[in-house]
Amino acid sequence: MLLLAVATFVGSQACGPCHGAIAEAYAKTPMARSAGRAEPLAHASFVAAGHQYAVAGRTLSFEMGSGRAGSASMDYFIGSNAAGRTWLREFEGYLFELPVTWYAQKGVWDASPGYERDAWVRLNRPVEPSCLQCHASRVRSVRGTQNRYGEPPFLENGVSCERCHGPGSEHVRDPAAAKMVNPAKLDAERREGICGQCHLTGEARIEKTGRQFAEFQAGMRLADYATYLVWKGGRRDFKVTSHVEKLAGSRCRTASGDSLSCTTCHEPHSNLNRTQEVCLGCHAAAHRREENCADCHMPKTKSSDANHGVLTDHSIPRLPSQKVVPGGTGELEAFTGLADARALGLAYAEMGDRRARAYLERATSVDWQVRLRLAAMEPGLVRAAALYEAVLKERPGEVSALVNLGSIYGQAGRTADAIRLWRRALEANPALEEAALNLSEVLPAAEGAEILRQYLGLNPASPAGQARAAELAKALLKR
Ligand code: HEC
Ligand code: HEC
Ligand code: HEC
Ligand code: HEC
Ligand code: HEC
Ligand code: HEC
Ligand code: HEC
């Protein structure tokens, strides 16, 4: 019997021998160098979010006002340094984001986005696969965990050729018989999906039922994998990944259609930018032809979710002073894909918006994501437990279901079941504070103290962890 080969990912180094010029140019771009193993750093000390830090070699150490101190290894980096770079710490294959980032445009160390107002130094923020999917390629996440990966966690340091051209094993064997995806030959939707897989997030990106976004490949339709929701009537602010939405809202694009896309101005292999000739190509009779159109019509704006970063306004406004932000009307709609009750409900739930429940209850396809959100809103413990149990059948490593169902069991006196679930939660992510604290309450003091010791090894400054550890130490002394 004959078998038909299914192409697999082989990595960019397989393309070089035949596409040497492209491979050489591309290797120098920020996208190709967006992640990797950390190199040792020269010594630097600085204050971020009120805490004293120092980096040296591959170690970050900190000291808080309270005198509490600790350190973490810097094992991998994210960010080419075009705008900045942040670091990940690895523990037995689990990855955690460190609280400080180097902001290259300003040349300063400061708190990572989301850590600016932290009263204590948090080292336990899990790195979920979506983060690596945008910054690295051939990511090897371990199923059933929140943030565990293979060794190494990804096989390519950045955006590989195959992210834009599809898997290459068959083409490498026989280039004439097996073609790669060529974005230039795709319809507009599939072409734009290639850049959109990483440069579009919208207000919320909701995976379709039964789909995993990580399985999206160049040449497919984004809408078959996810619904992207945005505020009706425009964005409220300006996010890092909004280039696709911004361009879509520009007068140039709405008036001229699909012919204007990312690759009209950006040559991805060399990172060459041909904006000036592109503007003049459509606006042949434009004013100020000797000047740089983008200086006035694509001004740089500070974004809302990347500290110290500047982004170029891709909505090409008429007036340079024009406010970039048209206020939203407070309702979500689909930017790409279908805004059915499930997508709207999940998106509102992500934002903590009260409208979520009514939508989720009307959802026609009820999967683990819908159940997880409904469970969190469910006041009846029996019904909430049934929802969480169903979630865990589909997603055995879903940490919030493990922790919360454990708590319901605990309240019902089913302590052994609760312990089993909280232990599973720690297997999914060993620095999950709630699971460690809960276990320390129900286990014998010596065992509880050991769980906390392991947890504090990963997150030494946790006030709740320290307090509980002190209580247990006292209890053990008394015995
Ligand atoms: C053994 C040599 C060889 C290797 C290895 C190779 N290619 Fe090609 N590639 C070719 C040739 C020859 C063509 C032109 C084929 C044709 O037009 O029939 C081509 C064409 C292409 C095209 C254009 C397809 C089109 O329809 O316009 C892309 C994109 C491409 N290759 C990407 C890659 C990527 C990515 C890799 C690495 C995963 C790779 N190639 C590895 C030889 C190779
Ligand atoms: C949906 C895709 C996506 C996800 C998820 C994502 N990023 Fe990014 N990130 C980007 C894009 C695109 C840029 C380039 C920003 C720009 O200029 O638009 C970027 C820029 C950055 C930069 C600055 C890099 C530089 O020098 O230009 C850092 C640092 C960074 N991201 C870290 C992270 C970390 C850490 C995570 C996960 C915790 C993450 N990002 C999640 C797409 C993503
Ligand atoms: C960020 C997305 C992206 C990445 C990464 C990328 N390409 Fe491309 N590639 C494109 C686009 C877009 C086109 C079509 C260009 C056009 O519009 O003419 C293209 C076209 C091509 C072509 C065919 C026509 C040509 O321009 O010669 C080849 C061959 C190719 N790429 C090879 C590679 C190889 C090899 C790598 C990795 C070293 C790579 N590409 C990485 C987006 C990408
Ligand atoms: C797999 C995810 C991914 C895909 C696909 C992707 N990008 Fe990117 N892109 C990124 C990330 C991540 C960065 C930030 C890189 C960094 O500086 O660390 C980035 C940065 C950029 C930059 C800024 C480069 C600079 O000089 O700072 C441009 C321009 C860009 N991408 C254009 C494109 C275009 C055009 C496409 C589609 C042809 C595309 N990207 C596809 C992830 C992606
Ligand atoms: C693919 C063709 C195309 C490209 C490329 C293009 N434009 Fe446009 N642009 C248009 C069209 C069509 C309109 C609408 C004209 C009209 O309404 O009379 C427009 C409108 C505008 C407007 C008026 C916007 C408004 O809100 O009234 C400005 C300003 C503008 N373009 C500047 C630029 C600049 C600067 C560039 C390069 C960064 C550019 N355009 C690139 C086609 C294009
Ligand atoms: C009309 C031309 C034009 C189009 C179309 C365009 N860009 Fe840009 N882009 C620019 C200019 C100009 C810059 C600023 C470059 C600089 O400062 O060196 C830029 C910068 C960027 C950057 C670097 C970060 C920033 O905001 O400064 C990214 C990432 C990017 N573009 C992605 C995209 C993506 C994704 C698309 C498609 C949705 C796209 N661009 C479409 C002209 C364009
Ligand atoms: C110094 C700032 C500046 C530069 C540089 C500049 N523009 Fe403008 N442009 C403006 C302003 C301001 C307006 C609005 C004029 C008005 O509304 O009276 C405008 C208006 C426009 C319009 C709308 C004209 C109309 O009548 O609807 C277009 C199209 C345009 N510019 C294209 C370009 C192109 C293409 C370039 C580059 C060759 C460019 N501009 C360079 C400031 C600039």
Side-chain angles (χ1 to χ4, degrees), residues 437-453:
L437 290 177
N438 287 349
L439 279 169
S440 78
E441 299 283 343
V442 295
L443 287 172
E447 264 182 81
E450 176 56 20
I451 297 265
L452 280 177
R453 194 189 60 75

Side-chain angles (χ1 to χ4, degrees), residues 309-460:
V310 287
L311 290 178
T312 305
D313 185 357
H314 280 58
S315 72
I316 317 184
R318 176 190 190 92
L319 287 177
S321 60
Q322 186 174 305
K323 215 170 159 357
V324 184
V325 186
T329 56
E331 259 178 75
L332 292 173
E333 64 180 356
F335 178 82
T336 296
L338 184 67
D340 56 8
R342 175 180 171 278
L344 285 166
L346 290 174
Y348 282 125
E350 222 168 74
M351 295 167 188
D353 188 306
R354 294 210 325 272
R355 284 168 285 186
R357 187 162 184 174
Y359 281 113
L360 290 173
E361 280 169 349
R362 281 197 277 122
T364 46
S365 86
V366 179
D367 59 355
W368 69 272
Q369 300 200 56
V370 173
R371 292 196 183 95
L372 185 64
R373 293 296 184 180
L374 283 173
M377 298 167 188
E378 175 59 58
L381 291 188
V382 175
R383 289 177 58 181
L387 287 165
Y388 284 129
E389 281 160 0
V391 168
L392 290 175
K393 283 214 180 86
E394 248 181 284
R395 296 269 297 195
E398 182 53 45
V399 287
S400 50
L402 289 168
V403 171
N404 296 352
L405 182 59
S407 299
I408 296 176
Y409 285 167
Q411 285 176 52
R414 294 171 60 184
T415 312
D417 289 331
I419 290 174
R420 186 174 45 81
L421 291 182
W422 292 330
R423 286 200 192 276
R424 267 171 61 191
L426 287 183
E427 280 164 29
N429 170 1
L432 201 63
E433 174 158 298
E434 293 79 359
L437 290 177
N438 287 349
L439 279 169
S440 78
E441 299 283 343
V442 295
L443 287 172
E447 264 182 81
E450 176 56 20
I451 297 265
L452 280 177
R453 194 189 60 75
Q454 288 172 16
Y455 168 64
L456 288 170
L458 290 170
N459 200 21

Side-chain angles (χ1 to χ4, degrees), residues 186-395:
L186 296 173
D187 61 59
E189 189 185 8
R190 287 170 205 274
R191 185 181 69 226
E192 290 173 9
I194 292 177
C195 314
Q197 65 180 303
C198 303
H199 287 278
L200 172 63
T201 48
E203 209 58 48
R205 179 179 87 185
I206 305 298
E207 261 175 10
K208 289 185 69 168
T209 311
R211 289 292 175 129
Q212 295 212 339
F213 195 76
E215 286 165 8
F216 174 88
Q217 292 179 4
M220 296 174 171
R221 293 167 71 240
L222 278 182
D224 288 337
Y225 282 80
T227 298
Y228 291 82
L229 296 121
V230 294
W231 293 113
K232 250 180 215 165
R235 294 193 51 87
R236 284 185 175 147
D237 57 8
F238 195 66
K239 269 202 190 166
V240 174
T241 41
S242 65
H243 291 91
V244 176
E245 292 152 79
K246 285 278 167 188
L247 182 66
S250 72
R251 181 82 187 105
C252 308
R253 165 82 191 216
T254 54
S256 56
D258 298 341
S259 61
L260 182 59
S261 71
C262 309
T263 45
T264 314
C265 295
H266 294 288
E267 207 289 285
H269 299 150
S270 61
N271 203 25
L272 187 90
N273 189 319
R274 34 180 185 242
T275 299
Q276 188 73 7
E277 63 180 271
V278 165
C279 303
L280 289 169
C282 287
H283 297 286
H287 64 166
R288 299 176 178 271
R289 308 167 55 81
E290 305 313 315
E291 288 174 64
N292 189 349
C293 316
D295 282 350
C296 292
H297 290 294
M298 297 185 73
K300 307 263 184 221
T301 320
K302 223 171 141 64
S303 86
S304 67
D305 58 359
N307 307 357
H308 309 289
V310 287
L311 290 178
T312 305
D313 185 357
H314 280 58
S315 72
I316 317 184
R318 176 190 190 92
L319 287 177
S321 60
Q322 186 174 305
K323 215 170 159 357
V324 184
V325 186
T329 56
E331 259 178 75
L332 292 173
E333 64 180 356
F335 178 82
T336 296
L338 184 67
D340 56 8
R342 175 180 171 278
L344 285 166
L346 290 174
Y348 282 125
E350 222 168 74
M351 295 167 188
D353 188 306
R354 294 210 325 272
R355 284 168 285 186
R357 187 162 184 174
Y359 281 113
L360 290 173
E361 280 169 349
R362 281 197 277 122
T364 46
S365 86
V366 179
D367 59 355
W368 69 272
Q369 300 200 56
V370 173
R371 292 196 183 95
L372 185 64
R373 293 296 184 180
L374 283 173
M377 298 167 188
E378 175 59 58
L381 291 188
V382 175
R383 289 177 58 181
L387 287 165
Y388 284 129
E389 281 160 0
V391 168
L392 290 175
K393 283 214 180 86
E394 248 181 284
R395 296 269 297 195

Side-chain angles (χ1 to χ4, degrees), residues 12 15-16 19 22-24 26-27 31 159-165 182-184 191 194-195 263 267-269 274:
S12 302
C15 320
H19 300 290
I22 293 177
E24 200 184 317
Y26 183 65
M31 274 197 280
V159 180
S160 70
C161 310
E162 291 167 303
R163 300 302 293 277
C164 296
H165 291 298
N182 184 341
R191 185 181 69 226
I194 292 177
C195 314
T263 45
E267 207 289 285
H269 299 150
R274 34 180 185 242

Side-chain angles (χ1 to χ4, degrees), residues 10-19 161-162 164-169 171-183 185 269:
V10 292
S12 302
Q13 81 290 339
C15 320
C18 303
H19 300 290
C161 310
E162 291 167 303
C164 296
H165 291 298
S169 62
H171 174 74
V172 164
R173 238 193 310 270
D174 186 351
K179 303 246 183 226
M180 297 298 282
V181 171
N182 184 341
K185 295 179 182 168
H269 299 150

